[in-house]
Amino acid sequence: MSLQDCAAALRDHDPDRFGICLMAPAKARPGLMTLYALNLELARAPLASNEPLIAEMRLQWWIERLEDIGAGKPQSHELLTPLAEAWGPRAAAFAALAGARRRDAAREPLEGPEAVAAYVRDTTVALALFAAEALNGTIADPAATAEGRIIAAQAEGVGLAHWLAALPALQGLGLGLWDPSPQVLAQIAARARKKLAEAKAQRRQLPRILAPVLFPGAGLRAVLDAAPKGIEALASAVPSEFRRRFTLGAFSLTHRWWI
């Protein structure tokens, strides 16, 4: 998988992040494209088999290969080779993204709002922090820097909203909630709104170069409004393709990421 192949995979299966890559400076694109392509593969890996053990083995393979990159071992793989070229030993840290998907391999629903938030922090938030690193060359630490805190808050809010939007499909895969009642969904939506407001209040502290990794996507408000009405309402809150493209185009002009 060359950079062109990474771009094609993102364009077909993760168009919003493909758009983010196009907005980034040219020197940051290899890092972003390979990171997002890896995330796409890690999200797919545990769903490729209904057997938890086989799904777990797929994830473990990725973890070991990423650790190999960290140890300086040469790679001969369509994705891992350009990933190693773009990130070097730092790519070993991405094993955490694979580890966070182990729950998906087990096909076990989440217990409630706190478990959903923890899952989003381990996947979406961690991914956003790595993406920010690709853009500005420094590690955005949410525990030590203002930039890291803003990115973490925005990514959690956006990630929770996107998780809610995907919930009708996730329930069918056994990856949703044990209790998908409107009350529980309302709590998740309320947490998302809180995190989005937290990020918005600090927006002036974030450099413009990092704006792309905070892109919220289209229809976020509609999803959060629908959540307290139940899963059926969430299923009808998905934005149209035209709305999605329009929102991404508008963002490319304004870089206004806050909600």
Side-chain angles (χ1 to χ4, degrees), residues 221-237:
R221 289 192 182 92
V223 168
L224 297 180
D225 289 343
K229 302 173 186 176
I231 289 183
E232 293 78 9
L234 284 173
S236 63

Side-chain angles (χ1 to χ4, degrees), residues 39-60 62 98 100-109 119 163 166 169-176:
N39 181 68
L40 189 60
E41 291 297 325
L42 295 180
R44 289 169 167 175
L47 304 181
S49 173
N50 290 324
E51 287 292 333
L53 180 59
I54 295 176
E56 176 79 17
M57 289 171 64
R58 289 177 181 271
L59 284 173
Q60 186 60 35
W62 284 103
R101 298 286 181 177
R102 292 186 189 277
R103 182 200 69 92
D104 296 346
R107 299 292 181 99
E108 293 181 357
Y119 178 75
W163 191 89
L170 294 175
Q171 284 296 120
L173 293 170
L175 297 174

Side-chain angles (χ1 to χ4, degrees), residues 118-135:
Y119 178 75
V120 167
R121 285 193 298 270
D122 290 342
T123 54
T124 305
V125 174
L127 181 67
L129 292 169
F130 285 132
E133 187 177 338
L135 284 173

